[in-house]
Amino acid sequence: MSKMSTDLTRHALNGPTMGTRWSAQFHTAPDVDPTVIQAAIQAALQSAVTEVDTQMSTWSADSDLMRVNAAPVGGWCDVPASLMTVITLGLEIGRASKGAFDIGMGDAVTAWGFGPAEAAPDRIKAAMNTKRVSASDALDLDVAAGRLRKTAPIALDLNGIAKGYGVDRLAETLRDFGIMNALVGIDGEMRAMGLRPDGAPWSIAVEAPDPESRSAHSVLTLQDAAVATSGDYRHWVEVQGRHLSHTMDPRRGAPLMSSPASVTVVAKTCAEADAWATALMVLGAEQGAALARAQGLEALFLLRVSQTEYRSLGVGRVFADEDAAANAPGRAI
């Protein structure tokens, strides 16, 4: 006879990564020593996200990504498998989004002060005046050999996808321990594995785009799916009285001038959800919703009506494909 859900031991682990924290919730049989399993899994999960951060951070000059950025044009660089996976996916979504998602915005991110350096007017002017070459056109990948080269000057930035990939690595690590039912996340990017012990899907809140507080706009119930949100209300700068999001517009080399308050995407992997949420923010509600429908994406756009009011537009079967009331819950997949 199988154990009842009430007989299981609940584990809630967390640790630091990427300037925030990762988390993992899962259950094990009551005859498993919780101290032993927590120590082993805690270490493995921390190692997984630390590896992602070590490879893909723009805050460390020693990261593999920054080594690529520092390499001369035309020279081949060896890159670790995880970094190659993320760059490859980033280029794929860049092409599919018609350039709305571009991992080659590192110069603009740095110039506007969203990296380790303060914003600098000279770098901002350079980023905006540069004739931009998309990452797809500026990189040659030799996936089989684990190497790449730049064919044009470019600075890579993976902040729109690395955190989601880190969530996927948490999920993969738990699977390595035989844990198939769990909820893992980094900050607000989450991935649901299987079901809760009571057989129900995992409940995940979609945050309201309120910079003053953290509250739920709605609640998703997810099984074997991931969710990520890109918004204008957590990381931003104020320039000449204008509130500018950290999301870069590849067409301008500058923060978006106008965008949805947030875009939430549900996908099979968190890396995909993360990147697509950024792409749809760049495109905006009209173009973004059209592309989301064409790509078969599940997306929720929250659009500001005023500083304190917003309306929602959902695409796909998770979110109603029509304007919805602000408090309408997402549907389970």
Side-chain angles (χ1 to χ4, degrees):
M1 180 179 296
S2 62
K3 294 287 184 182
M4 300 293 289
S5 63
T6 53
D7 295 331
L8 301 177
T9 301
R10 180 179 181 273
H11 304 271
L13 307 181
N14 68 86
T17 188
M18 305 181 198
T20 182
R21 297 190 72 79
W22 61 265
S23 64
Q25 301 177 43
F26 58 94
H27 294 75
T28 58
D31 55 352
V32 176
D33 186 335
T35 303
V36 173
I37 195 166
Q38 283 192 13
I41 295 179
Q42 174 87 27
L45 292 173
Q46 187 65 59
S47 177
V49 293
T50 298
E51 179 184 88
V52 175
D53 201 15
T54 299
Q55 292 184 13
M56 305 177 202
S57 174
T58 56
W59 291 73
S60 170
D62 297 329
S63 73
D64 292 288
L65 181 69
M66 294 304 286
R67 179 171 52 82
V68 171
N69 283 343
V73 172
W76 287 101
C77 290
D78 294 330
V79 296
S82 291
L83 179 56
M84 181 65 79
T85 295
V86 172
I87 290 175
T88 300
L89 179 60
L91 296 181
E92 290 174 358
I93 294 178
R95 289 188 288 267
S97 66
K98 299 177 174 58
F101 182 76
D102 193 336
I103 62 173
M105 297 298 295
D107 62 320
V109 171
T110 298
W112 286 90
F114 292 111
E118 296 290 330
D122 57 333
R123 289 200 299 266
I124 289 173
K125 184 177 180 180
M128 295 185 70
N129 291 336
T130 295
K131 183 178 180 180
R132 309 205 69 83
V133 178
S134 72
S136 293
D137 292 333
L139 292 177
D140 278 345
L141 304 187
D142 185 348
V143 177
R147 62 180 189 163
L148 60 78
R149 65 181 174 184
K150 296 180 290 187
T151 59
I154 192 170
L156 302 181
D157 183 281
L158 300 177
N159 285 330
I161 191 172
K163 188 186 294 183
Y165 180 74
V167 175
D168 294 330
R169 288 291 293 118
L170 292 173
E172 292 165 6
T173 300
L174 288 182
R175 286 204 183 97
D176 290 342
F177 282 87
I179 297 169
M180 309 305 290
N181 299 285
L183 181 65
V184 294
I186 298 177
D187 204 4
E189 325 289 49
M190 307 294 293
R191 181 164 171 172
M193 303 166 58
L195 299 168
R196 299 186 326 190
D198 61 3
W202 295 93
S203 296
I204 301 171
V206 176
E207 190 174 39
D210 183 351
E212 302 299 327
S213 65
R214 288 187 178 269
S215 59
H217 161 269
S218 55
V219 177
L220 293 170
T221 51
L222 298 182
Q223 174 185 352
D224 294 322
V227 60
T229 297
S230 182
D232 69 353
Y233 55 95
R234 288 286 170 239
H235 306 291
W236 50 275
V237 293
E238 187 171 314
V239 177
Q240 297 180 340
R242 295 201 62 169
H243 175 113
L244 300 178
S245 164
H246 71 292
T247 302
M248 292 292 147
D249 185 344
R251 298 161 293 196
R252 298 176 55 246
L256 294 174
M257 296 295 290
S258 177
S259 70
S262 70
V263 179
T264 297
V265 173
V266 172
K268 286 298 181 184
T269 71
C270 206
E272 292 171 288
D274 198 5
W276 274 113
T278 299
L280 298 184
M281 276 286 289
V282 170
L283 291 170
E286 184 176 347
Q287 293 183 53
L291 182 60
R293 292 187 186 100
Q295 291 288 327
L297 298 174
E298 315 284 347
L300 176 67
F301 298 78
L302 296 184
L303 313 172
R304 292 195 188 282
V305 177
S306 68
Q307 287 296 321
T308 58
E309 297 178 278
Y310 50 89
R311 67 179 180 88
S312 54
L313 170 64
V315 174
R317 63 189 181 89
V318 174
F319 308 104
D321 193 5
E322 59 186 358
D323 286 337
N327 294 321
R331 293 181 291 180
I333 63 172

